[in-house]
Amino acid sequence: MCGNCVQDDGVGVDLQEASETPNAKRPSSLRMIDTCPRTRILAAIIFAFVVASLSSISSASLALIFSLIITLSSQKPIIELVKRLLVVNAFIIFLWFMLPFSFSTPGTVIASLGPLKVTSQGVTLAALITLKANAIFFTVVALLTQGPLYEIALAGKSLGAPKKLVNLILLSSRYFHVIFAEYQRLRLAMRARGFNSNFSRHTFLSLSNLMGMLLVRSWDRADRIHKAMLARGYDGDLHASSNFHFSQADVLFSLAIILVTIILLVFEWFPTI
Amino acid sequence: MHIFDGVLSVPVLVTGGVLAGAGVAIGLSKIKSDMTPQASLLAAVFFTASLIHVPIGPSSTHLILNGLIGLLMGWVAFPIILVGLILQALLFQFGGITVLGVNTFNVAAPAVLMGFLFRPMVIGDDAVKSSIGAAASGFLSVLLTALLVCISLYLSNTENFNIAAQAIFLGHIPVMIIEGIVTLLVVRFLKKVKPEILQISATNLHKPVLNKTN
């Protein structure tokens, strides 16, 4: 696994996850997989920021419903999403322990636990954050983790993201797997020698040396990669054969997202409807 | 240590995005194209580090190492941390698109500051001074990041995030100590095993280092 994994056409940045490719073609129906990654990036960013700006429970609930529809139409495995959901909601759970009890402006007390007063405003705020956080999570994951990461990175490049940043993303997402495998190998070697991670001076020294060793090895590996890339005509740019085009699916999808955004904003501005 | 979508207010998100954008632009201008592989692999290493769990008493925390990134990379910390957060958002599918700017700034700005403050001490010959500089940058970078996280929460919803912000700051005090210790030990390891990483990385990141291995 050395430098020759990166070819100058960028194909080398393929990831294992790339295997989830579109199956049978049904051009007449609206399927997310047919949309161009560029459309999905723009849609995800617009939707996410609009949802982040929502301040009423009704519009935030609507946003969550829309995001679930988008998720279902993306045909992502639901079990995988639920696992991520737990991590994302860890902070939300923390807020649920804090906000209902800590509303500083005197709110309507709906329950009390000894000295702790649960205010309805605190509960509302926690609920609002929960709805918004999950709506954005579902949408972003559904729209941007379809297919391989390099596709999104290249689409970002064609939308005007800095070339150097895109190259960094391409190379580091490619080599993250290599370096992580290196880490696991070193960790296995430590275990084979009886290493046991506990709260001790020895653990800190060992883990720090492991980290240092990862740095040293990746530094040398980067040198080899660079040489291999130069040998293949690297001129500071990773040329990729990406041709993104705006298809019928994109038109339909863009219209759908614009409609959803307008509905959300209407609900936000006129909550009494 | 990072904030998820849906918590912060839009003005805070936009301010964070603008500040992070400026930092990333400066950082990218410091990477010459022939150093892209080096910077990419360091980004991948620091992302791997964030998956290493270090015990704190009966519990554990993952490494952030933004102090070490700042010591090694200077301004390049901004693009490196942004790439790490993008990998986390998309490769690991954790989301976090609207908060990308705020989170990048909160982690990278202290890193860059540590680079400016402690790098001369750390790369110097005096072993004691070097150790103090490394430990201080590990400790202070997490302290400042925790502070920035609290400020982001506080500015988003002044009266109500107060207690949550305080709890987050207090919760990170053990992490600061751990990061100080680990940064100190990693710097000592690098000084023994491969001092040129410390010597050349930040100041000469834009210069080719190919000839060193001929």
Side-chain angles (χ1 to χ4, degrees):
Chain A
M1 284 297 243
C2 67
N4 57 6
C5 302
V6 172
Q7 293 153 11
D8 51 356
D9 59 3
V11 175
V13 285
D14 212 323
L15 298 169
Q16 283 93 313
E17 286 90 313
S19 51
E20 34 175 288
T21 43
N23 25 38
K25 273 262 174 198
R26 275 185 291 121
S28 56
S29 67
L30 169 59
R31 292 192 317 151
M32 194 107 52
I33 204 87
D34 296 328
T35 55
C36 167
R38 289 194 303 189
T39 317
R40 278 186 265 131
I41 290 181
L42 290 178
I45 291 173
I46 291 169
F47 187 86
F49 275 94
V50 167
V51 174
S53 74
L54 298 178
S55 60
S56 75
I57 291 279
S58 60
S59 53
S61 319
L62 202 60
L64 185 61
I65 294 171
F66 282 134
S67 70
L68 289 174
I69 296 172
I70 295 173
T71 308
L72 289 178
S73 70
S74 77
Q75 297 160 330
K76 279 203 84 72
I78 300 294
I79 298 163
E80 238 182 83
L81 279 183
V82 171
K83 269 191 265 169
R84 262 70 180 209
L85 213 55
L86 293 177
V87 180
V88 173
N89 280 303
F91 183 69
I92 305 281
I93 293 166
F94 163 75
L95 282 182
W96 272 102
F97 278 107
M98 289 293 179
L99 285 178
F101 307 106
S102 65
F103 209 82
S104 55
T105 45
T108 327
V109 179
I110 49 172
S112 57
L113 231 87
L116 299 169
K117 305 259 183 294
V118 180
T119 60
S120 66
Q121 285 90 337
V123 173
T124 310
L125 182 64
L128 184 67
I129 290 172
T130 310
L131 291 169
K132 282 160 66 175
N134 286 294
I136 299 175
F137 165 78
F138 275 121
T139 316
V140 169
V141 169
L143 292 178
L144 296 186
T145 62
Q146 292 264 344
L149 178 60
Y150 74 79
E151 212 174 69
I152 294 293
L154 293 176
K157 189 179 181 181
S158 83
L159 285 172
K163 193 179 78 181
K164 278 184 198 170
L165 185 64
V166 173
N167 290 348
L168 272 181
I169 295 171
L170 289 175
L171 280 174
S172 56
S173 64
R174 164 65 182 80
Y175 281 98
F176 162 68
H177 294 286
V178 176
I179 286 168
F180 190 69
E182 180 116 64
Y183 160 68
Q184 286 180 314
R185 208 158 48 239
L186 290 169
R187 202 62 204 253
L188 186 67
M190 287 164 78
R191 252 208 356 253
R193 285 155 184 78
F195 174 73
N196 178 21
S197 182
N198 51 25
F199 191 57
S200 70
R201 190 191 142 89
H202 177 71
T203 300
F204 286 116
L205 190 61
S206 308
L207 289 179
S208 304
N209 288 351
L210 166 67
M211 182 60 211
M213 203 61 219
L214 274 180
L215 276 169
V216 169
R217 291 195 177 177
S218 68
W219 189 260
D220 291 341
R221 188 189 292 277
D223 258 1
R224 295 197 301 274
I225 292 169
H226 186 215
K227 281 178 184 161
M229 283 163 72
L230 286 177
R232 285 156 183 79
Y234 175 65
D235 61 351
D237 196 8
L238 299 169
H239 302 280
S241 58
S242 57
N243 50 343
F244 299 116
H245 57 275
F246 204 70
S247 67
Q248 197 195 346
D250 291 291
V251 177
L252 287 173
F253 184 67
S254 309
L255 286 176
I257 286 290
I258 291 167
L259 191 68
V260 162
T261 313
I262 291 171
I263 293 172
L264 286 180
L265 289 175
V266 166
F267 258 79
E268 173 72 7
W269 291 329
F270 309 103
T272 49
I273 292 178
Chain B
M1 183 49 101
H2 52 265
I3 307 167
F4 285 105
D5 289 309
V7 178
L8 299 180
S9 72
V10 174
V12 174
L13 295 177
V14 172
T15 312
V18 171
L19 290 173
V24 170
I26 297 173
L28 287 178
S29 73
K30 305 261 179 208
I31 309 176
K32 283 280 160 62
S33 62
D34 49 0
M35 286 307 292
T36 306
Q38 221 84 26
S40 307
L41 262 72
L42 284 177
V45 171
F46 285 114
F47 187 55
T48 307
S50 74
L51 304 172
I52 301 180
H53 279 258
V54 174
I56 306 186
S59 172
S60 76
T61 178
H62 69 86
L63 294 173
I64 307 169
L65 291 183
N66 53 341
L68 184 63
I69 302 177
L71 287 176
L72 291 178
M73 313 294 288
W75 279 103
V76 181
F78 265 97
I80 285 199
I81 286 160
L82 175 63
V83 167
L85 290 169
I86 290 176
L87 290 187
Q88 187 168 50
L90 300 184
L91 201 61
F92 278 23
Q93 310 185 356
F94 282 136
I97 288 297
T98 57
V99 278
L100 211 48
V102 175
N103 283 335
T104 304
F105 182 80
N106 287 351
V107 181
V112 173
L113 186 67
M114 293 306 115
F116 275 117
L117 290 180
F118 295 110
R119 189 175 153 79
M121 251 169 108
V122 168
I123 60 174
D125 291 329
D126 189 334
V128 178
K129 267 187 167 179
S130 161
S131 300
I132 292 171
S137 50
F139 181 86
L140 290 176
S141 58
V142 178
L143 188 143
L144 290 175
T145 299
L147 214 56
L148 285 171
V149 168
C150 293
I151 291 171
S152 318
L153 288 171
Y154 188 74
L155 290 179
S156 289
N157 195 331
T158 310
E159 60 255 55
N160 303 318
F161 281 155
N162 219 331
I163 294 182
Q166 286 170 17
I168 290 172
F169 188 81
L170 291 177
H172 274 90
I173 290 175
V175 183
M176 296 168 200
I177 297 167
I178 300 283
E179 289 271 328
I181 295 170
V182 172
T183 308
L184 160 71
L185 293 174
V186 174
V187 164
R188 278 185 24 194
F189 178 89
L190 288 178
K191 287 202 118 177
K192 269 183 247 161
V193 176
K194 204 167 176 72
E196 59 262 42
I197 293 185
L198 279 165
Q199 293 296 339
I200 52 185
S201 52
T203 45
N204 286 7
L205 191 75
H206 54 285
K207 282 190 193 149
V209 285
L210 275 178
N211 47 3
K212 79 172 195 288
T213 43
N214 37 320

